[in-house]
Amino acid sequence: MDFNFSEEQRMMAGALRELAADLSSGERLRAIYDGTDSADRQRWDALAELGLFSVLAPQGSGGMSLTDSDFILLAEEAGHAALPVPLCEQAGVAVPLLAELAGGAADSGTAAALAEALQAAASGASRVAVAHPINPFTLAPADPTHWLVCNADTVRLLEAREVKAVPEPTADAGRLLYRLEAPLQQHGVTVRGAAAAAAAARAAQRGALYAAAQSVGVAQRLTDIAVSYACERVQFGKPIGAYQAIKHHLANVQVKLEFARPVVYAAATRVADPDAGAQAAVSHAALAAAAAADLAARTAIQVHGAMGYSWEVDLHFYMKRAWALAGSWGAHSFHARRIQALVCGGELTLGPGQTFE
Amino acid sequence: MPLDLTFTPQQQALRAEVRAWMTAHVPRTPLATLEGEAGFAQHRQWERTLASGNWGMITWPREYGGRGANLIEWLIFEEEYYRANAPLRVNQNGIFLLGPTLMEFGTAQQKARFLPRMAAGEEIWAQAWSEPQAGSDLAGIRATAQREGDQYVLRGHKIWSSRAAFADWCFGIFRTDPASGRHNGLTFMLVPLRQPGVRVRGIRQIHGEPGFAEIFFEEARVPVANRLGEEGQGWHIAMATAGFERGLMLRSPARFQAAAQRLAHLWRSHATQADPALAAQVAQAWMDAEAYALNTYRTASRLMAGGTIGVEASLNKIFWSELDLQLHGTAMRLLGAHAALRAQAPDVVQDAGWLEGYIFSLAGPIYAGTNEIQRNVIAERLLGLPRG
């Protein structure tokens, strides 16, 4: 039992923070929001160069063979930066999904195709969108090369030209969402049956986990911005952060945030398990992190006053990311209903000593 | 291994050992409330039973009545303790607050004198911090300790002193330098309550029992050997004690996990008539108890790796006190007309103690430093906001 992250895990997160400060600076986010950015490929390649897409891929596929516990801090950093690249969907969802499907494929043709797709995704050579019934809209990288389309008991790998996707512009310009047109053409590589269903379920678990980690990151960013503003802005002769009304709002955010963090980290250690405990852990992470991000966003804009309501202050980029994350991979209602069923329905063993069971 | 959330075989063996012992020893019928005289005596007896199994305070070194256990092992012990529905710890002021403080600041003689009797439940401790004019503003303390030879003479009035009505000893801070003000000139003293010059008057709490007391020091004498640390070091030591109180040990997560489990059972027995929205509150109580447990394991891991607990203690205190209130408030709403029935009422929901639990939870945001003070501490010392 050791809840500490290793030096390597923290260093990897630190490297992403440094890179993201540049790739996802306020200036660059502003350009994306204003439609004057053209650096999508440059950002993608920079993340690929750091090896970030390959963290969860097996060594044989050019990956680092690391675990969700190793990726979780990276996802947090992606949220902290409001990274305008779907790093978590590619590296945290698509890559492990492809690895699982390739490992369990029944015929050699399918296995080879999936292995090839895995290698390409892990290196960043391909850009994969993962469509899942839990998401009415699919987050895709700019100019995607492939789509992984999950359904109840099939997962299909398609090339981008085999998919008709309708853009759905959202408040967060750093995330490109699409609605897939149904029915899909009968193309691509398809995995069916129990293996596909299990893999699709795990993909949704990972999607929700990494959305939660990003929410924690964005909540921390919003809090940092609000604290720094409260130290600078002077009213009635004092920085507004000297007043208890402001202090208590910000302290409440910090409490929520600090108690969401370990929930997210613990969920990372069991996200791949198919049991009720893992489902509860992920839904708990999703709800706690979204609640922290929501409170952080509302507090940050209140602390900023009218300034926070203006386009020219960066605050809204992070607030919009918090909204976007709250609606992805099972929004509030999905996770709240799932956890209520588990806790109130008696399916989950409750009580002391069950936390890690 | 980093972020490894599994128990070792030794840890699992400890769990099995605690479980077996608790199964054999926890009283079958709940004890009377420890806020009253009869219940206090029963709880004192339970402490002796615990000590007979060497379970008094397992994290302490063996020489002081402990088992040299680490914090993860302590959490396992606590989980099994609450799983067995064992009685509340009447000596928590001693084992969880003064004990760690003595470990850090006490002399070898003080440790040898006080710790084993604390672990054995032979001496029960009360706190003596607040005064009528010094509550949240604790630095306004006026009670004095005047040095006379190898003794101190104590004068003053302490109040809201938990457990003091029936305890044997108290610890608190007194002004040793009469010219001093605020945080300076204060000294940490260990004082026998049953001695000439000390008058204890119980104060009935809203549940009707004397859960705390006021203490009048009328030229009570204590030997210099009962001074913890140096003269003038009292504030510093008291803040360390307060850190232990808000931090890791006072409210172990298992307590809330056990209560959340009971709440889920309560929901199931009321689900057909209950407001469906209360299901969300039940789930929230479970989640918050789990979050508190996870954060406690995280803190324990950090401390075991050489870290310290500082301002984070204030985050903990706010979280567990609000969680307790939310949890018990949900139970009260679920119980409806049954909620206000006292334990002796014929139609009370048996063995639940929801009313007592709810009343106790109301105190959480107040004691150990009000949550408003904790928010100031978080804002100023963790977030770095300017002082008011």
Side-chain angles (χ1 to χ4, degrees), chain B residues 327-375:
Chain B
L327 191 157
H328 284 90
T330 303
M332 296 298 275
R333 283 189 287 283
L334 270 173
L335 284 164
H338 286 77
L341 291 183
R342 298 189 61 188
Q344 63 269 35
D347 283 304
V348 73
V349 175
Q350 288 301 322
D351 301 332
W354 287 116
L355 175 63
E356 293 76 8
Y358 180 63
I359 289 175
F360 186 64
S361 74
L362 290 168
I366 300 170
Y367 63 76
T370 66
N371 285 11
E372 287 69 29
I373 294 288
Q374 305 310 325
R375 289 188 173 91

Side-chain angles (χ1 to χ4, degrees), chain A residues 2-3 244 247-248 252 355, chain B residues 4 257 301 375-376 380:
Chain A
D2 184 358
F3 226 112
Q244 283 195 345
K247 281 182 176 156
H248 289 195
N252 286 339
T355 303
Chain B
D4 168 19
Q257 292 174 305
S301 297
R375 289 188 173 91
N376 289 348
E380 290 169 12

Side-chain angles (χ1 to χ4, degrees), chain B residues 164-185:
Chain B
F166 310 110
D168 310 298
W169 285 74
C170 73
F171 57 89
I173 44 180
F174 295 79
R175 209 163 277 289
T176 37
D177 177 0
S180 69
R182 306 296 298 162
H183 311 84
N184 303 312

Side-chain angles (χ1 to χ4, degrees), chain A:
Chain A
M1 177 64 59
D2 184 358
F3 226 112
N4 296 302
F5 285 100
S6 69
E7 191 57 33
E8 290 80 10
Q9 288 167 331
R10 287 195 303 263
M11 271 173 59
M12 209 156 48
L16 176 55
R17 178 167 292 207
E18 216 167 284
L19 179 62
D22 174 35
L23 299 182
S24 192
S25 64
E27 198 181 339
R28 285 180 185 250
L29 290 175
R30 189 165 304 283
I32 291 170
Y33 270 83
D34 292 341
T36 59
D37 169 78
S38 57
D40 278 320
R41 189 57 59 81
Q42 184 202 332
R43 281 190 287 273
W44 187 272
D45 292 346
L47 295 172
E49 201 175 316
L50 210 55
L52 291 173
F53 296 121
S54 74
V55 173
L56 296 180
Q59 247 157 11
S61 308
M64 301 184 191
S65 269
L66 294 174
T67 66
D68 295 286
S69 304
D70 298 300
F71 192 73
I72 197 75
L73 290 181
L74 297 172
E76 193 176 322
E77 290 304 330
H80 184 267
L83 199 65
V85 181
L87 168 67
C88 294
E89 268 68 11
Q90 171 101 359
V93 183
V95 163
L97 176 57
L98 284 167
E100 182 173 351
L101 294 174
D107 69 281
S108 59
T110 306
L114 291 167
E116 193 187 326
L118 169 60
Q119 199 143 7
S123 69
S126 67
R127 295 176 297 281
V128 187
V130 183
H132 192 285
I134 202 170
N135 290 318
F137 314 111
T138 300
L139 173 63
D143 192 16
T145 59
H146 294 80
W147 288 67
L148 269 166
V149 182
C150 302
N151 273 304
D153 55 359
T154 63
V155 181
R156 186 175 296 167
L157 175 66
L158 295 154
E159 291 185 26
R161 62 183 164 76
E162 296 166 336
V163 170
K164 180 160 168 36
V166 181
E168 299 268 8
T170 71
D172 182 350
R175 287 165 49 100
L176 306 175
L177 293 196
Y178 298 86
R179 175 169 47 79
L180 277 194
E181 289 280 275
L184 293 156
Q185 299 170 47
Q186 297 303 305
H187 285 292
V189 181
T190 305
V191 181
R192 296 190 164 80
R202 246 188 286 276
Q205 285 280 87
R206 285 204 169 90
L209 170 70
Y210 292 129
Q214 291 176 80
S215 294
V216 163
V218 84
Q220 185 66 65
R221 184 62 169 268
L222 284 158
T223 309
D224 294 348
I225 293 171
V227 165
S228 133
Y229 185 76
C231 290
E232 288 164 13
R233 170 71 175 164
V234 173
Q235 286 290 273
F236 305 105
K238 279 196 270 190
I240 59 170
Y243 297 105
Q244 283 195 345
I246 301 288
K247 281 182 176 156
H248 289 195
H249 279 314
L250 289 167
N252 286 339
V253 176
Q254 197 60 36
V255 171
K256 259 222 176 346
L257 179 53
E258 227 32 67
F259 281 86
R261 245 181 240 287
V263 175
V264 171
Y265 299 158
T269 66
R270 65 193 307 178
V271 65
D273 300 342
D275 56 21
Q279 291 179 19
V282 168
S283 283
H284 183 187
L287 292 169
D294 179 59
L295 185 64
R298 285 189 289 119
T299 303
I301 194 169
Q302 187 67 23
V303 165
H304 277 72
M307 192 63 93
Y309 207 74
S310 67
W311 188 263
E312 68 170 72
V313 172
D314 291 351
L315 180 66
H316 67 110
F317 303 146
Y318 304 97
M319 186 165 64
K320 287 167 182 169
R321 179 55 53 91
W323 302 344
L325 291 167
S328 71
W329 295 105
H332 175 87
S333 292
F334 171 84
H335 290 293
R337 289 170 69 120
R338 182 161 81 163
I339 214 152
Q340 278 169 40
L342 289 167
V343 170
C344 298
E347 208 181 316
L348 195 65
T349 310
L350 310 180
Q354 296 298 325
T355 303
F356 304 104
E357 293 304 308

